[in-house]
Structures are given as structure tokens and as C-alpha cells.
Amino acid sequence: MFQVVIVGRPNVGKSTLFNRLCGVRKSIVGDEPGITRDRIYGKLRLRRKTVSVLDTGGMLPEDDDVIPAGILAQVEAAVKESHLVLLVVDGRVGVTPLDQQLLPMMRRTGKPIFTVVNKIDAPSVEPHVAAFHELGTEQVFGVSAEHDRGIGDLVEAVAAKAKDFPEDAEPDAGAVRDEEIKVAVVGRPNVGKSSLVNRLLGFERSIVTDVAGTTRDAVDTLLLREGVRYRIIDTAGIRRKGKAEGLAEKVSVVMAQKSMRRADVALLLLDAEEGVTKLDAAIGGYAYELGCSVVILLNKWDLVEKDHRTLEAFQDSVRRRMKYLAFAPILTVSALTGQRVSKVFDLVRQAAEARKVRIPTGTLNNTFAPDLEDQLSAQNPNLKLGINYITQVSSAPPTFVVFVSGRDKLHFSTERYLVNQLREQFGFFAAPIRIQQKTKESRTRGAAMGARGAARRPAAKRSAPSGASRGAGAKAKTKPKGGL
């Protein structure tokens, strides 16, 4: 696929241009410089083909600090894999020494370069574009990414470059599954999420530092492994409410939660050195409420002093602090050394398949429900269960509706036992199970509301068939008796 990379110094509007070209708000945008750090991928859909677009962090070539150095490495990798470079500059500021310093770095790659003069928000500032011709790039465009001015001309120029580029070959349908498994790596700041993502992918995809909160955007990367396509989503560390500092961190937390909403499986990363915290439990609660299948990973296991009871003690602590994730498997890993990381894919694949299982209604009502009543009656002869009917209404996550004969809902302990029996008999590995109860009272109330709604509606006009029959009858009266 033809690929375009957006580069430039900090705070010139690269992410705003990226969002404008892709038609989605995928990169975080703000007045704070240096918000974007990792490579963000999106798609520009043209009339006859689709172009891949990369957003990159602001480049500071002479800054040796760990984060700017990591951004520079990410930009260089993005330029090497792209076919066209969009050098974004600030039209209100003019040509800066840093703009001139970045240009030779781009030219060394041999890729064609367009200068995109951003923040040309009004006709009065359009003459500022002329000064940027001195950079000597192939074409110069004056645009306002925020107000959608001049974007059409830029898109047409990109389309002209991409016109003769060959399309990707269609993958072998027999070798690769059509669907992809969306995997969100979540956790609090500095537990090793980006290190784990890089280890899963086998290359440095995300910037890794000891600075908490290095990752801000939700970074998607596609991975094909053993015929299965995975979308690995590296998310920002989720902080406690009120602890996020600045707009960028607050928005990044919201985007991390959105990533969980679209994920099939959440890899909940815990720091084995520090143990389970309240914030870990809260993040696990987010994943559960959003319906993700959950796999718990104890990271930095190589740094823990261990004896024969260490693993059991950690597992007990996790289960005690996260009772609502009792269904989630626990795996000890080390993103730094790669210890047991390969096993993560097996767990993710099992979890993704189990969340899509559908149980036939006949099986639930002819076999499962009677057995459940017998088991509960044996435990408590005075318990009157009274389940009339069970049906699975959806999957991903598995959701069941239970029609109760009485006016009261099942006790929470009975509902929990029901969930445990569903999991024991039908699997649902790593998936949360939802139960919706319909009591006799709720069904009666629903029927009454439906009747009142019908009473409020005006009487319907007579139907066409009856009118047609009247017409037929009238016509029959005028038909002469007998035949010719």
C-alpha cells in the first residue's frame, strides 16, 4: 500500500493534519508541544485506492533526552518505510532554523517531499506560503488543517503520486482468517505495557523509557502469526481520577478506555514487584464492565525473589483483590527477557474463540436448567428456584436472559452459581458472562406498558385487502348474469 508520513518540528499541527486526512480523531491534539510520540497509522481513502498515513512525533534532532531521542528514532523508521514525506511547517512563524535542519535528514532518504504550510487560516496570510519555496521541495501547499482549507489540493497531489503504485496482493483466504483479534494492553503507568507490545511484535514499535506516561496515544499495530491476524493496541497508562496532569494525559486516559471498548481481549498488566494495587483493581473493573475477555499478566517476574509458594501467594492476592475477574487466567511473564511471552498468543486465541460461543436454547432448557435445579435443590431443599426459560441472546461477551417464574429475582449467590455452572459446562474461557433476569412482575409491567401504548395510538385505517375485496364485491354486483 502506498504510504505517506507526516513529519515536522513540534506543535506545527501534524496530528491535526493526520486527523483531517483520515477523517477520524485518532491522534491526540492540543496546544502542548510533543503530545504525539509513537507512530500512529491511519488511512486516507481516495476514489480508486486507499493510502496509508503515518503521524509522527515532533522532531528535535539535537535533543539527547530519552523521549525526544526515541521520537527521532520512530520518525526515521517511519520515513524509511514510506513512499512520500509531508514536511509540515507553521505558516504564521515562517521558515525556522529547525525546519531547515530537518530537511537534509529527509532528503538523505531519497523520498519525494511535499512542504505543507499549515495554519494558513485566512486569505490575508496566504502570501506567507511563498517564503517556503526556498526549502526546495517538490511541491508546496498552503493549508489550514483545523479549518479544512487547501486540503483538497494536497489530497489530489497525494493521489497523483499513489496512482501508479501497485495495490497489495490479496491474502490467501485459506491461510489467513478474515477476522482479526483486537488485543488491548492495559494497566497503570510504567508497568511495562510498551515493552510487552514490542516483545509481542518482535520489533521496537513503541517508545520505551523509565518515565511514567511515555505512551499517550493508543497505538495500533497489525501482526500476522500462524495464520491469525492480531491487532495489538498499546494504550496509555490509566491514572486515578484527578491524578492525570494536563490535557494530553487526560485525553490519553479516555482513549485508553475507548481502546478497551473495541477490544476482544484485554491483557491486564500488573507489576509483580509491587503487587496488586487499588488502581490495578479499578482498571480490571473497567475491562470487566466493557465486556472484554481478560488475561492477567504478572510482568517483571524475573525480578521477584521466589520460593515454592511465591506464585500461589501472588495468585491468591490477585483473586482476593479482583474477585470479579475470577474467570481470568493468570500468567507470569517478563517483557524484558521474553520469559513466557510466546504463551500470551495461545491464551489470547483461546479467549477470543470462547467469547463467541453460542449455546442452543434447547440444550439450555432441556438439559442445563433441569440439572441446575436438581443441584440447587440437593444443596438446599427449601430453595424454590423457578426458572421457566433460559436463552442466550448474544455473544462477545456471552449474555443470557433468564425468565424467572416468581416476582423476585434470583438471589445474587444463585446467579453466581448459575454463571459458574455455565462456565464449567460450556467453557467461556477468560470471558465475562452477563445475566439478565426477567421476573413475572417485569414481564407483566412490560405487557401493560405495551397495551397502554397501543391504546394511545389512533385506530388504523382499514386495510387494503379488505378494500380490495369490497371493490371486487361491487364489481361482481354489476356483472350481468349468464354468459355470452
Side-chain angles (χ1 to χ4, degrees):
M1 181 183 293
F2 189 81
Q3 193 158 281
V4 179
V5 61
I6 300 173
V7 302
R9 59 186 177 83
N11 214 28
V12 293
K14 297 183 298 300
S15 294
T16 305
L17 178 63
F18 173 87
N19 290 341
R20 177 66 66 185
L21 291 175
C22 298
V24 294
R25 184 182 172 86
K26 195 171 184 180
S27 278
I28 300 176
V29 175
D31 293 332
E32 177 187 343
I35 290 178
T36 302
R37 292 171 175 175
D38 296 289
R39 307 196 303 270
I40 312 298
Y41 287 75
K43 291 183 178 179
L44 166 61
R45 302 191 184 278
L46 304 173
R47 284 190 294 272
R48 290 184 174 84
K49 63 171 56 183
T50 300
V51 171
S52 176
V53 183
L54 277 73
D55 186 20
T56 61
M59 299 170 66
L60 295 170
E62 295 182 353
D63 195 329
D64 294 329
D65 287 347
V66 61
I67 291 179
I71 291 173
L72 184 59
Q74 291 281 321
V75 173
E76 290 175 342
V79 172
K80 286 179 181 177
E81 68 181 62
S82 299
H83 306 97
L84 174 64
V85 178
L86 301 183
L87 175 61
V88 183
V89 294
D90 189 334
R92 296 178 300 187
V93 175
V95 180
T96 68
L98 185 51
D99 294 329
Q100 294 173 326
Q101 188 179 352
L102 295 177
L103 195 56
M105 299 173 59
M106 301 299 104
R107 283 206 175 105
R108 282 197 294 269
T109 65
K111 307 295 174 65
I113 304 171
F114 291 170
T115 298
V116 181
V117 186
N118 193 28
K119 305 183 183 181
I120 305 299
D121 303 326
S124 60
V125 293
E126 287 181 1
H128 295 182
V129 177
F132 290 90
H133 284 277
E134 73 176 57
L135 296 177
T137 58
E138 190 169 317
Q139 294 192 57
V140 179
F141 299 89
V143 306
S144 172
E146 184 175 359
H147 299 105
D148 198 15
R149 296 183 79 248
I151 298 298
D153 293 338
L154 175 61
V155 170
E156 287 184 9
V158 171
K161 283 287 185 183
K163 180 178 64 174
D164 299 326
F165 191 83
E167 293 286 354
D168 293 338
E170 290 295 324
D172 182 359
V176 181
R177 301 181 188 181
D178 291 335
E179 71 275 9
E180 63 183 24
I181 301 175
K182 300 181 184 68
V183 184
V185 181
V186 300
R188 54 192 173 87
N190 218 26
V191 294
K193 297 183 296 300
S194 294
S195 296
L196 177 66
V197 168
N198 290 342
R199 180 66 66 174
L200 290 170
L201 297 174
F203 60 91
E204 295 294 318
R205 176 63 181 86
S206 297
I207 298 174
V208 177
T209 74
D210 293 331
V211 180
T214 299
T215 301
R216 288 176 170 178
D217 295 276
V219 181
D220 290 25
T221 309
L222 287 174
L223 173 67
L224 182 62
R225 181 185 172 94
E226 297 178 355
V228 180
R229 187 182 290 109
Y230 299 88
R231 181 177 292 274
I232 309 296
I233 309 169
D234 184 13
T235 66
I238 298 177
R239 298 179 185 272
R240 199 184 313 276
K241 286 184 177 179
K243 296 294 184 180
E245 299 177 359
L247 174 65
E249 282 194 0
K250 292 176 181 178
V251 174
S252 65
V253 170
V254 173
M255 294 185 73
Q257 293 173 334
K258 286 185 177 180
S259 296
M260 278 192 277
R261 185 174 287 109
R262 63 188 171 101
D264 301 308
V265 182
L267 299 180
L268 175 58
L269 211 59
L270 310 181
D271 189 325
E273 282 192 297
E274 298 181 14
V276 185
T277 68
K278 290 183 178 179
L279 185 53
D280 292 325
I283 296 169
Y286 291 147
Y288 176 80
E289 291 169 4
L290 294 171
C292 296
S293 295
V294 180
V295 176
I296 300 173
L297 302 180
L298 294 177
N299 191 28
K300 307 181 184 180
W301 190 247
D302 56 313
L303 303 179
V304 175
E305 294 185 8
K306 296 176 277 291
D307 58 29
H308 67 285
R309 289 202 68 256
T310 303
L311 177 58
E312 182 182 351
F314 267 89
Q315 291 176 333
D316 289 345
S317 175
V318 172
R319 297 306 184 200
R320 187 173 62 254
R321 302 292 294 273
M322 301 181 180
K323 293 180 180 179
Y324 45 85
L325 293 182
F327 59 86
I330 300 174
L331 179 66
T332 57
V333 300
S334 170
L336 183 64
T337 66
Q339 182 183 24
R340 281 185 287 276
V341 170
S342 61
K343 294 184 178 180
V344 172
F345 289 101
D346 296 331
L347 295 177
V348 166
R349 191 166 54 250
Q350 291 179 51
E353 292 173 354
R355 68 188 275 104
K356 295 184 290 187
V357 169
R358 297 296 296 255
I359 309 302
T361 301
T363 301
L364 289 170
N365 291 282
N366 297 333
T367 306
F368 176 75
D371 289 348
L372 182 69
E373 291 190 15
D374 292 343
Q375 293 170 24
L376 287 172
S377 297
Q379 294 177 14
N380 185 358
N382 297 323
L383 179 65
K384 297 180 180 179
L385 190 57
I387 294 179
N388 287 343
Y389 191 72
I390 302 179
T391 183
Q392 183 177 358
V393 293
S394 66
S395 58
T399 303
F400 296 84
V401 173
V402 179
F403 293 85
V404 183
S405 58
R407 294 183 177 273
D408 298 324
K409 289 187 176 182
L410 301 176
H411 191 265
F412 76 90
S413 61
T414 305
E415 181 177 311
R416 184 173 58 196
Y417 185 81
L418 169 61
V419 169
N420 292 338
Q421 289 302 305
L422 285 168
R423 196 179 303 282
E424 180 178 325
Q425 295 197 31
F426 305 114
F428 299 116
F429 175 78
I433 295 177
R434 303 280 192 258
I435 299 294
Q436 299 174 2
Q437 296 191 42
K438 299 288 186 181
T439 64
K440 182 177 180 180
E441 182 178 356
S442 66
R443 295 196 297 274
T444 304
R445 185 166 57 249
M449 291 178 65
R452 286 197 298 272
R456 292 193 193 100
R457 289 194 293 270
K461 294 182 180 181
R462 299 185 181 223
S463 61
S466 60
S469 62
R470 286 197 306 275
K475 187 175 182 179
K477 290 180 181 178
T478 59
K479 186 176 180 179
K481 296 181 179 179
L484 294 176

